[in-house]
Amino acid sequence: MSASDAAPESSKAATDAAARKDRTLAEFLLMLDDFKPLIPSEVTDYYLQRVGFDCEDERLKRLLALAAQKFVSDIAADAYSHARIRSGGARSKAGGAATKIKTVLTMDDLTAALAEYGVNAKKPEYYL
């Protein structure tokens, strides 16, 4: 096989990969037609309007709502992890059986989780 034979094969592979990505994106956008995000569309529209984003495509708005939902979910999961670490995964023994103690999320847990994403949520040292 010569170098000139390898070039058409590599360009064909690149074209096939691009076509596959386009099909995957098209299928994903079709799935967004039936998707109902947890964040109401009115809330999404309000915040998009506040930042100056004007778009009539509902699928794009649903995609942004899905991204926001994922962001909030990740922060909640990280805050829960911080709370579990803080409490040491404590278990109590009542009546010989090990039972789980409820995990309580605090503002410190949320602040630590938000700090991982670059969001500063610390309260000021003093109150007026």
Side-chain angles (χ1 to χ4, degrees), residues 2-3 6 25-26 32 59 62 65 69 72 77 88 99 111 114 118 125:
S2 67
L25 179 61
L32 282 176
R59 293 180 303 180
R62 287 186 187 129
Q69 180 179 327
V72 170
T99 59
T111 301
L114 286 170
E125 296 295 325

Side-chain angles (χ1 to χ4, degrees), residues 39-53 64 68:
I39 300 172
S41 61
E42 292 82 10
V43 173
T44 305
D45 290 341
Y46 172 76
Y47 283 105
L48 290 177
Q49 179 192 13
R50 284 208 50 195
V51 298
F53 186 82
L64 292 171

Side-chain angles (χ1 to χ4, degrees), residues 27-61:
E27 290 169 2
F28 180 71
L29 288 175
L30 286 175
M31 288 180 358
L32 282 176
D33 287 336
D34 299 329
F35 177 72
K36 181 155 175 43
L38 292 177
I39 300 172
S41 61
E42 292 82 10
V43 173
T44 305
D45 290 341
Y46 172 76
Y47 283 105
L48 290 177
Q49 179 192 13
R50 284 208 50 195
V51 298
F53 186 82
D54 186 27
C55 178
E56 297 301 321
D57 189 4
E58 287 298 317
R59 293 180 303 180
L60 183 58
K61 290 179 184 179

